[in-house]
Amino acid sequence: MTNTAATLQSIYRYPVKGLSPELLPNVALQAGRTLPADRRYAIENGPIGFEPANPKYFPKIRFLMLMRNERLAGLQTRFDDASNTLTIRYNGAEAARGNLETPEGRAAIETFFVENFSPELKGPPKVLSAPGHSFSDVAAKVVSIINLASVAAIETIVGQPVNPLRFRGNLYVSGWPAWHEFDLLEKQLTIGDTRLRVIKRIVRCAAVNVDPVTAERDLNIPHALMQMFDHADCGVYAEVITGGTIAAGDAITELSSTA
Protein backbone atom coordinates (compact mmCIF):
# COMPACT_ATOMS: atom_id res chain seq x y z
CA MET A 1 0.00 0.00 0.00
CA THR A 2 1.19 3.51 -0.83
CA ASN A 3 -0.07 6.36 1.35
CA THR A 4 -0.56 9.69 -0.39
CA ALA A 5 -1.65 13.15 0.64
CA ALA A 6 -4.39 13.15 -1.98
CA THR A 7 -7.86 14.40 -1.04
CA LEU A 8 -11.24 14.19 -2.74
CA GLN A 9 -11.84 17.90 -3.24
CA SER A 10 -15.32 17.82 -4.78
CA ILE A 11 -17.95 15.54 -6.31
CA TYR A 12 -20.15 16.36 -9.30
CA ARG A 13 -22.86 14.62 -11.25
CA TYR A 14 -24.50 15.49 -14.57
CA PRO A 15 -28.12 14.30 -14.54
CA VAL A 16 -28.65 15.32 -18.18
CA LYS A 17 -25.83 14.82 -20.64
CA GLY A 18 -24.46 18.18 -21.81
CA LEU A 19 -26.30 20.23 -19.17
CA SER A 20 -25.30 21.68 -15.79
CA PRO A 21 -23.10 19.98 -13.21
CA GLU A 22 -24.48 19.46 -9.72
CA LEU A 23 -22.17 19.63 -6.70
CA LEU A 24 -22.67 16.83 -4.15
CA PRO A 25 -21.33 16.84 -0.57
CA ASN A 26 -21.30 13.04 -0.56
CA VAL A 27 -22.57 10.13 -2.62
CA ALA A 28 -23.14 6.39 -2.28
CA LEU A 29 -21.35 4.40 -4.98
CA GLN A 30 -22.29 0.90 -6.09
CA ALA A 31 -19.92 -1.67 -7.55
CA GLY A 32 -20.01 -1.71 -11.32
CA ARG A 33 -22.11 1.44 -11.58
CA THR A 34 -21.64 5.10 -12.44
CA LEU A 35 -22.27 7.91 -9.99
CA PRO A 36 -26.02 7.71 -9.18
CA ALA A 37 -28.08 9.58 -11.80
CA ASP A 38 -24.95 10.65 -13.70
CA ARG A 39 -25.89 11.11 -17.36
CA ARG A 40 -29.21 9.46 -16.52
CA TYR A 41 -30.82 11.39 -19.37
CA ALA A 42 -29.70 12.63 -22.77
CA ILE A 43 -31.31 14.72 -25.48
CA GLU A 44 -31.39 12.87 -28.77
CA ASN A 45 -30.39 15.07 -31.71
CA GLY A 46 -32.07 13.26 -34.58
CA PRO A 47 -33.47 9.71 -34.44
CA ILE A 48 -30.93 7.07 -33.39
CA GLY A 49 -33.15 4.07 -32.67
CA PHE A 50 -32.56 4.04 -28.91
CA GLU A 51 -34.58 1.30 -27.21
CA PRO A 52 -35.24 1.87 -23.48
CA ALA A 53 -36.01 -1.84 -23.01
CA ASN A 54 -32.62 -2.73 -24.51
CA PRO A 55 -30.39 0.33 -23.99
CA LYS A 56 -27.10 0.43 -25.85
CA TYR A 57 -24.18 2.80 -26.04
CA PHE A 58 -24.26 5.54 -28.67
CA PRO A 59 -21.44 8.03 -29.37
CA LYS A 60 -21.94 11.51 -27.97
CA ILE A 61 -22.34 13.09 -31.40
CA ARG A 62 -25.84 11.57 -31.51
CA PHE A 63 -26.97 13.83 -28.66
CA LEU A 64 -26.97 17.54 -27.88
CA MET A 65 -23.54 18.04 -26.30
CA LEU A 66 -20.94 20.71 -25.64
CA MET A 67 -18.45 19.50 -28.24
CA ARG A 68 -20.72 20.95 -30.94
CA ASN A 69 -23.44 22.79 -29.05
CA GLU A 70 -21.59 25.21 -26.77
CA ARG A 71 -24.73 27.26 -26.15
CA LEU A 72 -25.82 24.49 -23.76
CA ALA A 73 -23.35 25.97 -21.26
CA GLY A 74 -25.50 29.10 -21.18
CA LEU A 75 -28.36 27.15 -19.59
CA GLN A 76 -28.67 26.80 -15.83
CA THR A 77 -30.37 23.51 -15.09
CA ARG A 78 -31.30 21.68 -11.91
CA PHE A 79 -32.65 18.16 -11.48
CA ASP A 80 -34.74 17.17 -8.45
CA ASP A 81 -34.47 13.48 -7.65
CA ALA A 82 -37.64 13.28 -5.59
CA SER A 83 -39.88 14.57 -8.39
CA ASN A 84 -37.67 13.71 -11.40
CA THR A 85 -38.13 17.33 -12.43
CA LEU A 86 -35.67 19.24 -14.61
CA THR A 87 -35.78 23.03 -14.43
CA ILE A 88 -34.09 25.12 -17.12
CA ARG A 89 -33.20 28.77 -16.61
CA TYR A 90 -32.24 30.74 -19.70
CA ASN A 91 -31.36 34.43 -20.01
CA GLY A 92 -31.96 34.92 -16.29
CA ALA A 93 -35.46 33.44 -16.10
CA GLU A 94 -37.09 30.04 -15.79
CA ALA A 95 -37.71 28.84 -19.33
CA ALA A 96 -38.92 25.26 -18.91
CA ARG A 97 -39.80 22.71 -16.26
CA GLY A 98 -40.85 19.10 -16.59
CA ASN A 99 -40.95 15.70 -14.93
CA LEU A 100 -38.62 13.66 -17.13
CA GLU A 101 -40.44 10.45 -16.22
CA THR A 102 -43.74 11.61 -17.76
CA PRO A 103 -44.62 12.23 -21.42
CA GLU A 104 -45.91 15.70 -20.58
CA GLY A 105 -42.78 16.67 -18.69
CA ARG A 106 -40.44 15.41 -21.40
CA ALA A 107 -42.51 17.26 -24.01
CA ALA A 108 -42.09 20.53 -22.08
CA ILE A 109 -38.30 20.14 -22.14
CA GLU A 110 -38.25 19.04 -25.78
CA THR A 111 -40.35 22.05 -26.77
CA PHE A 112 -37.80 24.36 -25.15
CA PHE A 113 -35.03 22.92 -27.34
CA VAL A 114 -37.18 23.11 -30.47
CA GLU A 115 -37.85 26.78 -29.79
CA ASN A 116 -34.31 27.78 -28.78
CA PHE A 117 -31.89 25.39 -30.48
CA SER A 118 -33.52 24.72 -33.85
CA PRO A 119 -30.45 25.71 -35.97
CA GLU A 120 -28.46 22.96 -34.23
CA LEU A 121 -31.08 20.21 -34.44
CA LYS A 122 -30.84 17.32 -36.89
CA GLY A 123 -34.35 16.16 -36.05
CA PRO A 124 -36.87 16.37 -33.22
CA PRO A 125 -35.06 16.55 -29.87
CA LYS A 126 -36.13 13.73 -27.59
CA VAL A 127 -35.38 13.15 -23.92
CA LEU A 128 -34.03 9.62 -23.56
CA SER A 129 -33.55 7.39 -20.52
CA ALA A 130 -33.58 3.75 -19.50
CA PRO A 131 -33.43 2.12 -16.06
CA GLY A 132 -29.82 1.76 -14.93
CA HIS A 133 -28.42 3.25 -18.14
CA SER A 134 -25.89 6.10 -18.29
CA PHE A 135 -25.26 8.17 -21.42
CA SER A 136 -21.56 8.35 -20.73
CA ASP A 137 -18.93 9.10 -23.37
CA VAL A 138 -17.77 5.48 -22.97
CA ALA A 139 -19.72 2.24 -22.88
CA ALA A 140 -18.21 1.03 -19.59
CA LYS A 141 -19.88 1.93 -16.30
CA VAL A 142 -17.25 4.25 -14.84
CA VAL A 143 -16.64 7.40 -12.82
CA SER A 144 -14.29 10.09 -14.10
CA ILE A 145 -11.45 11.49 -12.00
CA ILE A 146 -9.79 14.86 -12.61
CA ASN A 147 -6.43 15.77 -11.05
CA LEU A 148 -6.55 19.48 -10.17
CA ALA A 149 -2.77 19.75 -10.49
CA SER A 150 -3.05 18.65 -14.11
CA VAL A 151 -5.62 21.39 -14.69
CA ALA A 152 -3.15 23.85 -13.16
CA ALA A 153 -0.47 22.57 -15.56
CA ILE A 154 -2.85 23.21 -18.47
CA GLU A 155 -3.30 26.78 -17.22
CA THR A 156 0.45 27.24 -17.56
CA ILE A 157 0.38 25.86 -21.11
CA VAL A 158 -2.50 28.05 -22.33
CA GLY A 159 -1.49 31.10 -20.31
CA GLN A 160 -4.81 31.79 -18.62
CA PRO A 161 -7.12 30.39 -15.93
CA VAL A 162 -8.90 27.12 -16.74
CA ASN A 163 -12.09 26.30 -14.86
CA PRO A 164 -11.82 22.62 -13.80
CA LEU A 165 -15.51 22.16 -14.63
CA ARG A 166 -14.56 22.34 -18.31
CA PHE A 167 -13.59 18.69 -17.90
CA ARG A 168 -17.02 17.65 -16.56
CA GLY A 169 -15.54 15.14 -14.14
CA ASN A 170 -17.20 13.31 -11.27
CA LEU A 171 -14.36 13.33 -8.72
CA TYR A 172 -11.86 16.19 -8.44
CA VAL A 173 -8.64 15.36 -6.59
CA SER A 174 -6.07 17.63 -4.93
CA GLY A 175 -2.65 16.60 -3.66
CA TRP A 176 -1.38 14.55 -6.59
CA PRO A 177 1.44 15.92 -8.76
CA ALA A 178 0.43 17.00 -12.26
CA TRP A 179 -0.34 14.02 -14.53
CA HIS A 180 0.05 11.51 -11.67
CA GLU A 181 -3.33 10.06 -12.62
CA PHE A 182 -1.71 8.50 -15.70
CA ASP A 183 0.59 6.48 -13.42
CA LEU A 184 -2.43 4.89 -11.77
CA LEU A 185 -3.65 2.76 -14.68
CA GLU A 186 -4.62 -0.73 -13.46
CA LYS A 187 -4.05 0.38 -9.87
CA GLN A 188 -6.72 0.60 -7.21
CA LEU A 189 -7.73 3.54 -5.04
CA THR A 190 -9.60 3.67 -1.76
CA ILE A 191 -11.83 6.64 -0.99
CA GLY A 192 -13.79 6.40 2.24
CA ASP A 193 -15.00 2.82 2.35
CA THR A 194 -15.01 2.37 -1.42
CA ARG A 195 -12.46 0.87 -3.78
CA LEU A 196 -12.00 1.85 -7.42
CA ARG A 197 -9.76 0.56 -10.22
CA VAL A 198 -8.33 3.06 -12.70
CA ILE A 199 -8.83 1.66 -16.20
CA LYS A 200 -8.40 4.32 -18.89
CA ARG A 201 -7.05 7.77 -19.67
CA ILE A 202 -9.63 10.30 -20.88
CA VAL A 203 -8.97 11.69 -24.35
CA ARG A 204 -10.30 15.22 -24.55
CA CYS A 205 -12.50 16.64 -27.30
CA ALA A 206 -13.55 20.18 -28.17
CA ALA A 207 -16.08 20.25 -25.32
CA VAL A 208 -13.30 21.38 -22.94
CA ASN A 209 -12.75 24.46 -25.10
CA VAL A 210 -16.09 25.87 -23.89
CA ASP A 211 -16.07 28.08 -20.80
CA PRO A 212 -18.77 26.62 -18.49
CA VAL A 213 -19.67 30.08 -17.17
CA THR A 214 -19.67 32.27 -20.29
CA ALA A 215 -20.50 29.53 -22.84
CA GLU A 216 -17.76 30.98 -25.04
CA ARG A 217 -15.50 28.68 -27.05
CA ASP A 218 -12.38 30.55 -26.01
CA LEU A 219 -9.56 27.97 -25.79
CA ASN A 220 -8.14 25.04 -27.74
CA ILE A 221 -7.01 22.75 -24.94
CA PRO A 222 -6.67 19.48 -26.93
CA HIS A 223 -4.44 21.25 -29.46
CA ALA A 224 -2.32 22.78 -26.69
CA LEU A 225 -1.90 19.36 -25.05
CA MET A 226 -0.91 17.76 -28.37
CA GLN A 227 1.63 20.50 -29.00
CA MET A 228 3.20 20.13 -25.57
CA PHE A 229 2.80 16.42 -24.74
CA ASP A 230 1.80 14.67 -27.98
CA HIS A 231 -1.49 13.58 -26.41
CA ALA A 232 -4.84 15.23 -25.65
CA ASP A 233 -5.54 13.44 -22.37
CA CYS A 234 -6.64 14.83 -19.01
CA GLY A 235 -8.18 12.70 -16.27
CA VAL A 236 -8.91 8.98 -15.97
CA TYR A 237 -11.87 6.64 -15.82
CA ALA A 238 -12.23 4.24 -12.91
CA GLU A 239 -14.52 1.31 -12.16
CA VAL A 240 -16.13 0.99 -8.75
CA ILE A 241 -14.93 -2.34 -7.33
CA THR A 242 -16.35 -2.03 -3.80
CA GLY A 243 -19.28 0.25 -3.14
CA GLY A 244 -19.76 2.62 -0.23
CA THR A 245 -20.15 6.28 0.63
CA ILE A 246 -17.61 8.92 -0.33
CA ALA A 247 -17.55 12.57 0.72
CA ALA A 248 -15.66 15.71 -0.12
CA GLY A 249 -12.60 15.85 2.10
CA ASP A 250 -12.00 12.09 2.11
CA ALA A 251 -8.41 10.89 1.85
CA ILE A 252 -7.46 8.92 -1.27
CA THR A 253 -5.04 6.02 -0.91
CA GLU A 254 -3.33 4.16 -3.74
CA LEU A 255 -3.05 0.39 -3.67
CA SER A 256 -0.81 -1.78 -5.77
CA SER A 257 -2.28 -3.39 -8.90
CA THR A 258 -2.30 -6.75 -7.13
CA ALA A 259 -3.95 -5.52 -3.93
Side-chain angles (χ1 to χ4, degrees):
M1 179 182 294
T2 302
N3 292 322
T4 72
T7 301
L8 178 58
Q9 194 72 27
S10 55
I11 307 168
Y12 286 88
R13 70 170 187 175
Y14 296 80
V16 182
K17 187 177 185 68
L19 299 186
S20 298
E22 296 187 355
L23 179 66
L24 303 175
N26 55 69
V27 69
L29 297 179
Q30 294 183 352
R33 308 299 299 174
T34 65
L35 216 69
D38 190 54
R39 279 81 171 183
R40 175 178 170 183
Y41 301 94
I43 303 163
E44 180 185 63
N45 190 6
I48 62 175
F50 182 79
E51 299 178 11
N54 184 29
K56 295 181 180 179
Y57 166 80
F58 284 89
K60 59 189 170 187
I61 59 172
R62 308 306 297 271
F63 309 104
L64 286 176
M65 44 84 186
L66 285 171
M67 186 176 80
R68 292 183 177 174
N69 314 113
E70 65 267 21
R71 289 199 303 126
L72 293 175
L75 307 179
Q76 292 80 49
T77 63
R78 183 62 55 189
F79 181 75
D80 178 68
D81 292 278
S83 63
N84 297 309
T85 297
L86 179 71
T87 303
I88 301 177
R89 294 182 61 82
Y90 187 43
N91 293 330
E94 183 174 312
R97 178 189 293 259
N99 180 340
L100 299 187
E101 293 300 308
T102 68
E104 297 80 10
R106 290 192 295 271
I109 300 302
E110 292 161 359
T111 296
F112 168 82
F113 284 100
V114 168
E115 293 175 348
N116 295 280
F117 282 75
S118 58
E120 299 161 69
L121 298 177
K122 300 175 182 177
K126 184 177 180 182
V127 176
L128 301 180
S129 67
H133 185 68
S134 175
F135 294 92
S136 172
D137 284 352
V138 294
K141 297 289 193 298
V142 292
V143 298
S144 56
I145 302 175
I146 303 299
N147 178 2
L148 290 169
S150 299
V151 177
I154 292 173
E155 290 183 326
T156 300
I157 296 168
V158 301
Q160 65 185 76
V162 174
N163 188 328
L165 292 182
R166 286 178 184 258
F167 300 93
R168 298 179 69 80
N170 296 133
L171 311 182
Y172 286 83
V173 176
S174 61
W176 286 337
W179 314 116
H180 180 66
E181 65 271 31
F182 299 156
D183 298 330
L184 300 176
L185 292 177
E186 300 307 322
K187 292 185 178 181
Q188 294 186 18
L189 307 173
T190 63
I191 309 175
D193 51 359
T194 69
R195 184 178 291 201
L196 301 90
R197 179 189 296 118
V198 178
I199 63 168
K200 191 179 190 307
R201 291 162 62 142
I202 303 176
V203 181
R204 291 299 166 180
C205 68
V208 298
N209 296 334
V210 180
D211 187 300
V213 176
T214 67
E216 295 294 324
R217 193 179 295 275
D218 59 353
L219 292 175
N220 193 339
I221 291 174
H223 176 74
L225 287 171
M226 285 296 298
Q227 291 290 103
M228 180 64 68
F229 300 115
D230 201 31
H231 69 70
D233 304 347
C234 182
V236 291
Y237 289 120
E239 295 176 331
V240 180
I241 304 302
T242 303
T245 299
I246 62 175
D250 281 349
I252 300 175
T253 302
E254 301 170 26
L255 307 177
S256 71
S257 57
T258 57

